[in-house]
Amino acid sequence: MANVIVVGAQFGDEGKAKVTDLLAKNADFVVRYQGGANAGHTVVVDGDTYKFHLIPSGILYGGTTCILGPGMVIDPQAFIGELDALLKRGLDDSSLKVSACAHVTMPYHLAIDAAEEESRGAHKIGTTKRGIGPTYADKCARSGIRVEDLLSAEALRQKLDWLVPRKNVILERLYNLPPLDGKEILETYLAYGEKMRKYVCDTSAIIFQAVQQRKNILFEGAQGTLLDLDHGSYPYVTSSSPSAGGACVGAGVGPTIIDRVIGVSKAFMTRVGEGPFPTEQAGAIGEKLRQVGKAWAEVGVTTGRPRRCGWFDCVVGRYSVRINGLDCLAITKLDVLDEFDEIKICVAYRDCATGDVYKDLPSIAGSFGAMEPVFETFPGWQKSTSECRSYNDLPSAAQRYLNFIAEQLDVPVAIVSVGQKRDQTIIIEDPIHGPKRVLSRAAAGL
Ligand code: IMP
């Protein structure tokens, strides 16, 4: 294969797990590089549904080494719960590794995330309340607990002795909440550490060795480009870097080892949580997108919140190509559009105040929300695509739709997914070994 990054090219929930699962078949290593239990990945294999929050979905292939990288934030309780559920279903954990440097989501992070959200009132972010922001905030403030700390009673006690009284000041005085018991946290988290010990190691060293042995490594991003802390629709973002650049920092590898970046987009768009979403369809169309294809019910895997739905947005798509240096696209959930008599695609934004039209995302995140979409309308194909297994099987209107997206974003569509099952997948061109799109265009002076 090669060393490949899979990133979400929209607002998260693009169906990355299915694409990762497909590619993981040929991967020796699958590495998750950011985020925590805020992510929710669903994979359906032989009629069985697996839901992942922390553990890479590559675990479904015995023999693939699955790594939770140093850029992640890990809630040990969630990790152990997920692991136990997988072990009960007979999955092999012998190749599961957890970075000693990943940060740990602690009870005060969960409490503060919920309290902060509540206190924001109308300006809430719509977080998953999994403690993600506060865990990363402590990491940046150099007050975080790392996985390695859970393995040492002395290290953990020393950190908690300083941290818990300070967190309790916030909980009690700012949010009028009961204080947390430092001793109880110490005992509980040391017990978690014991359960995690066998998986904990220096994952960057393992990946480096794999690179030198020419192994195939898949870097799996959670969330999506527009939720990236630096490049997303700030402040309505997550607190890590889901974009391709985040893979190097979050996994502990140099950018020179990356061969390929694959962006995953739905054939339409969804968003959970607050924040701008110019192509959102609040009425009947949004409801239809949400409901069509019961198996695909557009509900957040982590929080169960209904997803906001809208038409495909090429402005967001072009931006994702730029931020991630995408080589190709995987388009998921094409089948959800099967029943529509007409389908819209946003090709540009119009500034509601000035009338100016933009083909690129405005650089000031705040102004993103004040844009209205400029749509082109396509006839729907009104035929099921779920049995299609090649590009030529697709109705011509669906082919036109995919070609239009590829032209607008100037990257090839390599993979199309037409259902949840592994075999409901169309490979249009080799997603791994195709031309380096961004580089080849630059070389051609385009
Ligand atoms: P947090 O990551 O829980 O702090 O949430 C910040 C924002 O990212 C909120 O709008 C969430 O709804 C969104 N978010 C976080 N994780 C995911 C995900 O896996 N899919 C989609 N949205 C997410």
Side-chain angles (χ1 to χ4, degrees):
M1 200 171 81
N3 300 326
V4 178
I5 302 174
V6 174
V7 286
Q10 297 170 325
F11 292 103
D13 304 319
E14 295 91 350
K16 292 179 292 294
K18 171 153 180 197
V19 177
T20 313
D21 175 63
L22 188 83
L23 300 174
K25 193 174 160 199
N26 298 317
D28 303 299
F29 288 73
V30 179
V31 183
R32 211 178 123 186
Y33 55 86
Q34 46 72 229
N38 50 349
H41 297 161
T42 309
V43 182
V44 180
V45 183
D46 299 334
D48 283 338
T49 301
Y50 296 86
K51 288 188 192 299
F52 298 93
H53 297 284
L54 288 161
I55 297 176
S57 48
I59 195 91
L60 296 176
Y61 293 101
T64 306
T65 302
C66 286
I67 293 182
L68 279 71
M72 285 187 70
V73 291
I74 299 172
D75 179 335
Q77 190 179 11
F79 172 79
I80 291 163
E82 196 170 316
L83 182 64
D84 285 347
L86 288 174
L87 291 175
K88 263 194 207 133
R89 295 173 80 166
L91 281 148
D92 174 17
D93 66 341
S94 59
S95 305
L96 182 62
K97 314 272 175 214
V98 177
S99 169
C101 302
H103 278 250
V104 180
T105 296
M106 303 295 289
Y108 42 81
H109 294 135
L110 296 166
I112 291 172
D113 193 8
E116 257 178 8
E117 265 294 88
E118 186 72 30
S119 72
R120 283 191 183 106
H123 301 289
K124 69 175 181 191
I125 292 163
T127 77
T128 59
K129 299 195 180 147
R130 296 298 188 271
I132 305 300
T135 312
Y136 278 114
D138 271 2
K139 168 178 166 170
C140 291
R142 293 149 300 171
S143 307
I145 305 272
R146 306 213 300 185
V147 169
E148 61 190 354
D149 297 320
L150 303 185
L151 308 183
S152 156
E154 200 35 54
L156 191 59
R157 182 179 300 107
Q158 193 208 327
K159 291 198 172 184
L160 290 177
D161 280 352
W162 184 79
L163 273 163
V164 176
R166 279 164 178 77
K167 299 299 179 188
N168 280 341
V169 171
I170 298 172
L171 291 174
E172 289 184 276
R173 301 220 196 133
L174 200 54
Y175 296 121
N176 213 12
L177 289 168
L180 295 169
D181 180 343
K183 197 163 168 286
E184 197 182 312
I185 297 178
L186 178 68
E187 280 164 17
T188 309
Y189 280 71
L190 284 175
Y192 289 150
E194 282 319 305
K195 286 203 168 170
M196 292 174 71
R197 187 181 287 278
K198 69 184 243 208
Y199 307 106
V200 180
C201 56
D202 179 350
T203 54
S204 163
I206 292 176
I207 300 171
F208 190 58
Q209 195 179 36
V211 170
Q212 290 178 317
Q213 291 171 348
R214 301 279 189 275
K215 300 282 187 196
N216 295 320
I217 308 171
L218 189 63
F219 297 91
E220 174 183 356
Q223 290 87 43
T225 305
L226 271 289
L227 292 180
D228 187 281
L229 181 59
D230 293 294
H231 306 292
S233 53
Y234 192 88
Y236 301 102
V237 294
T238 192
S239 297
S240 63
S241 303
S243 56
C248 294
V249 179
V253 298
T256 46
I257 69 132
I258 304 298
D259 297 300
R260 197 97 179 135
V261 184
I262 301 175
V264 185
S265 288
K266 275 179 187 159
F268 53 104
M269 307 258 299
T270 62
R271 176 165 204 165
V272 268
E274 307 300 314
F277 181 2
T279 64
E280 181 171 13
Q281 300 295 302
I285 289 176
E287 197 47 41
K288 187 167 171 184
L289 284 169
R290 199 163 22 252
Q291 297 303 335
V292 171
K294 290 206 171 48
W296 279 131
E298 286 297 354
V299 167
V301 176
T302 302
T303 56
R305 292 178 290 178
R307 292 178 184 151
R308 299 157 65 194
C309 295
W311 296 120
F312 190 92
D313 186 336
C314 294
V315 181
V316 163
R318 284 183 212 111
Y319 183 70
S320 280
V321 171
R322 160 153 60 103
I323 293 296
N324 298 300
L326 296 184
D327 291 308
C328 64
L329 277 177
I331 299 281
T332 62
K333 308 195 181 186
L334 185 71
D335 55 304
V336 171
L337 299 180
D338 286 352
E339 290 173 22
F340 284 82
D341 55 354
E342 62 177 35
I343 297 168
K344 295 190 179 187
I345 297 189
C346 167
V347 292
Y349 293 162
R350 186 179 296 110
D351 186 319
C352 304
T354 64
D356 293 340
V357 172
Y358 298 90
K359 286 193 85 177
D360 287 317
L361 203 72
S363 61
I364 300 165
S367 59
F368 180 23
M371 298 285 165
E372 62 175 24
V374 177
F375 283 124
E376 284 203 20
T377 304
F378 286 75
W381 40 95
Q382 297 191 282
K383 270 187 209 147
S384 171
T385 54
S386 57
E387 300 304 322
C388 297
R389 295 294 177 268
S390 76
Y391 177 78
N392 290 334
D393 290 347
L394 287 169
S396 56
Q399 293 179 356
R400 268 201 302 281
Y401 184 73
L402 295 171
N403 293 344
F404 186 77
I405 291 175
E407 273 163 31
Q408 287 284 316
L409 271 55
D410 203 13
V411 281
V413 174
I415 301 173
V416 180
S417 168
V418 290
Q420 272 191 319
K421 294 186 202 140
R422 268 184 181 159
D423 71 329
Q424 290 180 301
T425 308
I426 298 171
I427 306 291
I428 299 181
E429 69 166 53
D430 184 341
I432 308 296
H433 300 106
K436 297 286 295 172
R437 187 72 184 174
V438 175
L439 290 182
S440 58
R441 285 187 59 79
L446 297 171

